[in-house]
Amino acid sequence: MKNTSSKVLISLVLVLTVPMSSFSQSLVDMKLIHGGAFIPLYGIDDSLKINVNSFYMDQYPVTNKEFQDFIKENPKWNKTTINSIFADTNYLVNWKNDSTFPVEANPEAPVTNVSWFAAKNYCECKGKRLPLLDEWEYAAMADKTKPDARTDENYNQYILNWYESPKSFNKEIGSTFKNYWGIYDLHGLVWEWTMDFNSVLISGESRKDVDKDSNLFCGSASVGATDLMNYAAFMRYAFRGSLKARYSVKTLGFRCVKDVESSTTKTN
Amino acid sequence: MKTLLKPKGYYLSFLLLALAISITSCKEKEENNGKLVASNANIAATLEMKAELTSPPNVPRSVGRRKAKKLIVDMEILEKEGEMADGVSYVYWTFGGSVPGSFIRTRVGDEVEFHLKNHPDNKLPHNIDLHAATGPGGGAASSFVAPGHETQFSFKVLSPGLYVYHCATAPVGMHIGNGMYGLILVEPEGGLPQVDKEYYIMQGDFYTSGDNGEKGLQSFNMEKAIEEDADYVVFNGKVGSTTGDNAITAEVGDKVRLFVGNGGPNLVSSFHVIGEIFDIVRVEGGSMINENVQTTIIPSGGAAIVEFMVDVPGTYILVDHSIFRAFNKGALGMLNVTGEENKKIYSGTQKESVYQPETSGEKPDMAMNVEELKEKLPLKSRAERIAAGKAVYAQTCFACHQANGQGVPNAFPPLAGSDYLNANVDRAIGIVLNGNKGKITVNGKEYNGIMTPQNLNDDDTANVLTYVYDSWGNSKKDIKPDMVKKIRNSH
């Protein structure tokens, strides 16, 4: 009798504390991005100002180690057993086996070669979600000191320089600068999945993207770009346009975000 | 009568037949010309063939007499670091690992099955626009490919010519500016006429964050590209790609064909081979042929085929004749030709000698043309001879001995009041005729120079000496031509 009651007590305690700890855990290493309005690259003028609600964003992209832990708990996302609808043959292509990332890879480097399905599921398992494209771009507009650095030449050149430096995917998270919101590595390590990466369609024939074929696509896709100088953003949209949800790319990782309403504990 | 009729009948039917044939063949030609492209679309291409792709400056073999085929092209895109110039490195985005990208050689009517592969280590998506392809984006709309993936599309080449291909992913200028361009040749039926050597040269302009020559890894600079302010203008992707040991070669008597492209992204090329004339230029890579051209313009995103025979050995420099690009930014290549000389066509240096203008500094007031003077009157009076002598002095002597016979200290002895001069007339004549060298003392000063023999006839020698002796406090001796003759003959 004593044993079972103590067992019940213990399990009761566990049941009560585990969810609590998971809630507070889920906001660890996340920062609050205060919402606002901005004109994205695909907005032609003021009439297409996008409103972004406040949200929490992971400070860093998801690492190899974190993803490895996720796979151990969720073996259906294993390299060998994953459903081919959810991933192409590039999925975790460099991993030695189902649960070990390559020896030469840094455990603290962002995980790459993961499909959108896998990334989405990872976030959901943590009680989070993938960021919306607009949310990601909104957070990424910031440099070290201001929330919108898009007209800053140096800032754009910094990003363009990264697009030219090879093999940055093996760098540790936190290697680049901390931006205005306290978020690291939105530029400089890897491309990142977003929830609706294919809602702004760059047709692949980029010369055509500057005329007004906007009726043909959803999300006013052909880009009447507000800022033709924002070549860095152009390249991100071009990259997103080349992806399909089951694709895995060596230079593409992800991070998660969380809505403000669904969190129940305060953050620091 | 009968015999006459028969031939006539045959003749008539033959005439009708001939007429019928000529009419129908003319009609065919007309239709062909009008629907040339359409008929090329109907060329059958049944058998398969894998395309032979080459890196610059080499090209694949001629299509020769082969029929149109289904041509499989496997093109891999690699983003890789390379050397732009000595100590300067750059991350190039390449088709097939080279800048310019691999050369594709096809025959009109070929159906090209294009496999575009984007290496998994690459950071960016890419695609391809081939100017030889007819269709949306020249293929760009159907070849957009993410890293670690491959796309395939097909197009039929309908028009012979030399065409550029390049990446067309946003931002297009940056992709081209990083080296994503190359050439695709569509040969007519039977191939281009045979030559001895064929090479692949492609010009491009590069825009780096640092200045030309600044060492280290340089990155692409968008602003300079927009300003069209190039740091490097080079052939085949880097400074010195075809110079020194990398020069292209030929032998005397060879017919050389250059497939020359211009990837841009911005600058138009004024292509010239120093020391050669293009016998044939297939203008802009198309069907128009120009002959005997020194410098041909190659548009950005365009090409030209130039052909010339090399007659004489030597190093022929390929340049963009917007000349600062050649000497300061790298638009310079070399063609080494070996073989027998041909002195008639080009002699090389024949002679080398000193050049000294006759007079230097100020000229005396009354410099007269000696020849003019001689034509006018035979000189008799002393005054006339002195005047003539003054003219000779102005042309011949004054350079060293100066306007007033004062000479140049430590160099040329004076004639004015010269003890050396006045002491011996014959010696003076001898010196004018034969020159002098060695130490002499004039008016107490030593001179140790050389005076060259003067090329004057007897009259002029006599006249100039008479003038000198008459001037500047000299002995006013009168020198006659026969006196000069005597000294001349005694030497």
Side-chain angles (χ1 to χ4, degrees):
Chain A
M1 265 321 265
K2 240 192 185 169
N3 275 339
T4 45
S5 61
S6 59
K7 269 190 197 158
V8 169
L9 194 61
I10 289 167
S11 45
L12 203 62
V13 169
L14 282 172
V15 163
L16 287 173
T17 53
V18 164
M20 297 265 288
S21 63
S22 73
F23 275 143
S24 57
Q25 280 237 316
S26 67
L27 286 175
V28 161
D29 288 342
M30 295 189 93
K31 290 287 186 191
L32 179 65
I33 318 272
H34 286 287
F38 77 113
I39 304 170
L41 181 74
Y42 57 85
I44 300 166
D45 54 31
D46 249 17
S47 59
L48 196 64
K49 224 172 188 173
I50 297 291
N51 267 321
V52 176
N53 293 330
S54 302
F55 63 99
Y56 292 98
M57 183 181 244
D58 280 351
Q59 258 191 314
Y60 307 99
V62 174
T63 63
N64 281 322
K65 177 91 179 39
E66 286 169 331
F67 199 77
Q68 185 182 61
D69 292 339
F70 163 77
I71 288 199
K72 287 198 181 126
E73 289 166 25
N74 300 273
K76 80 168 189 199
W77 292 101
N78 269 345
K79 180 168 151 174
T80 45
T81 55
I82 190 168
N83 192 317
S84 62
I85 295 178
F86 297 138
D88 66 9
T89 49
N90 277 342
Y91 183 69
L92 300 179
V93 66
N94 291 328
W95 282 39
K96 257 177 34 192
N97 55 37
D98 274 345
S99 48
T100 319
F101 54 81
V103 168
E104 61 275 13
N106 192 326
E108 294 303 311
V111 68
T112 58
N113 281 120
V114 290
S115 68
W116 178 83
F117 290 102
K120 178 167 169 290
N121 202 273
Y122 175 99
C123 290
E124 281 167 5
C125 282
K126 304 274 179 200
K128 309 181 199 177
R129 59 170 175 80
L130 282 173
L132 292 173
L133 195 155
D134 289 332
E135 286 172 340
W136 195 96
E137 288 286 319
Y138 182 75
M141 283 179 344
D143 67 0
K144 286 190 199 163
T145 52
K146 45 188 193 295
D148 187 351
R150 289 178 297 172
T151 48
D152 189 337
E153 239 175 69
N154 287 337
Y155 183 62
N156 277 320
Q157 191 60 42
Y158 169 82
I159 299 176
L160 282 175
N161 287 351
W162 164 50
Y163 293 161
E164 304 224 294
S165 57
K167 300 205 172 40
S168 55
F169 50 79
N170 230 2
K171 289 203 216 154
E172 255 183 53
I173 55 169
S175 321
T176 69
F177 68 94
K178 182 176 180 176
N179 81 2
Y180 174 84
W181 304 107
I183 308 286
Y184 289 83
D185 306 330
L186 285 166
H187 307 287
L189 283 196
V190 291
W191 306 104
E192 295 187 5
W193 281 113
T194 50
M195 179 70 93
D196 53 346
F197 64 93
N198 52 7
S199 62
V200 176
L201 302 169
I202 294 205
S203 68
E205 219 298 51
S206 301
R207 280 88 40 99
K208 196 164 83 59
D209 292 330
V210 292
D211 60 61
K212 301 199 171 155
D213 258 334
S214 35
N215 294 331
L216 297 176
F217 305 101
C218 35
S220 60
S222 25
V223 181
T226 45
D227 184 2
L228 283 173
M229 286 294 280
N230 201 344
Y231 283 93
F234 244 117
M235 290 162 79
R236 281 198 297 278
Y237 282 90
F239 182 77
R240 291 179 188 127
S242 73
L243 299 172
K244 295 200 208 302
R246 44 189 297 271
Y247 277 17
S248 303
V249 182
K250 201 168 183 176
T251 50
L252 173 64
F254 69 102
R255 73 178 73 209
C256 307
V257 301
K258 201 173 169 71
D259 294 320
V260 168
E261 302 77 53
S262 62
S263 67
T264 53
T265 38
K266 272 199 196 157
T267 50
N268 37 332
Chain B
M1 284 308 269
K2 249 193 178 170
T3 43
L4 272 172
L5 269 168
K6 256 198 180 159
K8 218 183 185 177
Y10 279 140
Y11 177 70
L12 199 63
S13 52
F14 175 73
L15 187 65
L16 281 168
L17 191 63
L19 210 63
I21 291 174
S22 60
I23 288 176
T24 50
S25 68
C26 276
K27 199 161 174 243
E28 240 175 59
K29 258 198 199 144
E30 246 178 60
E31 278 183 356
N32 273 341
N33 279 332
K35 302 179 189 171
L36 187 63
V37 165
S39 73
N40 283 346
N42 295 328
I43 296 177
T46 41
L47 298 173
E48 244 180 54
M49 173 180 152
K50 194 159 155 60
E52 176 199 351
L53 301 179
T54 57
S55 299
N58 299 314
V59 295
R61 280 162 300 191
S62 164
V63 298
R65 311 191 57 159
R66 75 161 170 86
K67 291 203 166 64
K69 295 238 168 96
K70 181 160 166 212
L71 193 68
I72 317 263
V73 173
D74 271 310
M75 184 71 83
E76 184 190 48
I77 297 174
L78 274 170
E79 296 167 12
K80 63 193 253 195
E81 192 175 311
E83 197 192 39
M84 171 75 76
D86 199 29
V88 182
S89 48
Y90 191 85
V91 176
Y92 295 95
W93 299 347
T94 71
F95 283 107
S98 60
V99 176
S102 310
F103 193 96
I104 306 172
R105 193 157 190 160
T106 71
R107 176 214 191 274
V108 69
D110 275 349
E111 283 166 17
V112 179
E113 187 182 279
F114 205 96
H115 297 247
L116 188 62
K117 305 157 193 232
N118 193 344
H119 196 277
D121 284 355
N122 292 343
K123 217 176 231 128
L124 295 157
H126 298 285
N127 61 10
I128 190 166
D129 167 3
L130 301 113
H131 290 185
T134 304
S142 318
S143 57
F144 196 34
V145 60
H149 293 84
E150 171 181 343
T151 53
Q152 178 190 314
F153 70 101
S154 281
F155 60 95
K156 194 174 180 84
V157 284
L158 301 174
S159 313
L162 180 62
Y163 302 94
V164 168
Y165 66 76
H166 62 87
C167 180
T169 302
V172 184
M174 184 176 182
H175 283 250
I176 296 178
N178 277 342
M180 299 197 80
Y181 43 78
L183 289 180
I184 171 170
L185 173 68
V186 182
E187 292 197 79
E189 183 182 330
L192 288 169
Q194 215 193 9
V195 294
D196 301 298
K197 299 279 192 318
E198 289 180 318
Y199 290 106
Y200 173 25
I201 306 278
M202 195 155 188
Q203 184 172 323
D205 22 297
F206 287 88
Y207 303 84
T208 55
S209 297
D211 292 326
N212 177 300
E214 205 174 294
K215 305 237 187 257
L217 178 66
Q218 293 295 323
S219 59
F220 174 80
N221 187 299
M222 182 62 82
E223 255 193 77
K224 283 190 193 174
I226 293 174
E227 293 295 311
E228 304 190 21
D229 177 15
D231 296 289
Y232 297 91
V233 183
V234 292
F235 294 124
N236 294 1
K238 57 185 276 209
V239 175
S241 64
T242 43
T243 63
D245 289 333
N246 299 323
I248 56 179
T249 59
E251 287 167 47
V252 167
D254 275 351
K255 266 207 187 130
V256 178
R257 174 182 287 137
L258 301 180
F259 296 103
V260 193
N262 185 1
N266 289 319
L267 305 179
V268 172
S269 176
S270 307
F271 187 71
H272 174 79
V273 176
I274 301 180
E276 264 296 342
I277 299 167
F278 304 136
D279 300 325
I280 280 181
V281 176
R282 292 172 203 274
V283 176
E284 292 165 14
S287 307
M288 181 193 290
I289 294 189
N290 199 359
E291 296 177 325
N292 305 325
V293 176
Q294 72 202 278
T295 301
T296 191
I297 291 207
I298 310 185
S300 174
I305 304 180
V306 301
E307 297 172 21
F308 50 97
M309 183 186 286
V310 284
D311 303 289
V312 185
T315 302
Y316 295 85
I317 315 276
L318 285 58
V319 296
D320 178 342
H321 217 293
S322 289
I323 210 69
F324 278 94
R325 298 177 197 170
F327 297 120
N328 296 71
K329 297 191 177 179
L332 193 147
M334 289 181 184
L335 165 63
N336 266 340
V337 177
T338 49
E340 257 189 62
E341 309 249 358
N342 185 338
K343 296 285 184 184
K344 233 197 312 181
I345 293 184
Y346 189 83
S347 70
T349 310
Q350 284 168 324
K351 227 194 256 184
E352 268 194 74
S353 55
V354 167
Y355 172 74
Q356 281 267 14
E358 284 287 72
T359 59
S360 58
E362 52 180 12
K363 285 196 168 190
D365 290 341
M366 278 163 51
M368 277 182 284
N369 189 320
V370 175
E371 302 307 319
E372 267 177 27
L373 209 59
K374 281 204 193 129
E375 274 167 34
K376 284 187 188 150
L377 311 152
L379 299 170
K380 292 223 175 104
S381 75
R382 188 184 146 86
E384 279 166 337
R385 284 185 286 120
I386 287 174
K390 184 172 182 178
V392 174
Y393 185 88
Q395 278 184 357
T396 309
C397 323
F398 126 102
C400 299
H401 293 290
Q402 303 303 299
N404 293 316
Q406 69 271 41
V408 175
N410 301 320
F412 308 120
L415 300 171
S418 161
D419 53 7
Y420 186 86
L421 178 77
N422 292 307
N424 190 332
V425 171
D426 283 347
R427 180 174 65 182
I429 297 173
I431 287 177
V432 174
L433 292 177
N434 305 314
N436 193 46
K437 61 182 175 194
K439 258 193 234 166
I440 60 171
T441 309
V442 180
N443 294 351
K445 295 240 166 60
E446 232 180 57
Y447 294 86
N448 191 356
I450 296 178
M451 174 166 158
T452 51
Q454 298 306 304
N455 192 8
L456 298 170
N457 62 23
D458 295 345
D459 277 333
D460 287 336
T461 309
N463 291 339
V464 72
L465 280 168
T466 306
Y467 165 74
V468 168
Y469 276 111
D470 188 65
S471 310
W472 318 310
N474 287 330
S475 62
K476 298 221 188 287
K477 273 279 190 322
D478 199 11
I479 314 297
K480 295 275 173 57
D482 53 355
M483 290 161 71
V484 175
K485 196 187 223 134
K486 201 169 92 184
I487 306 288
R488 194 193 288 279
N489 292 337
S490 70
H491 185 73

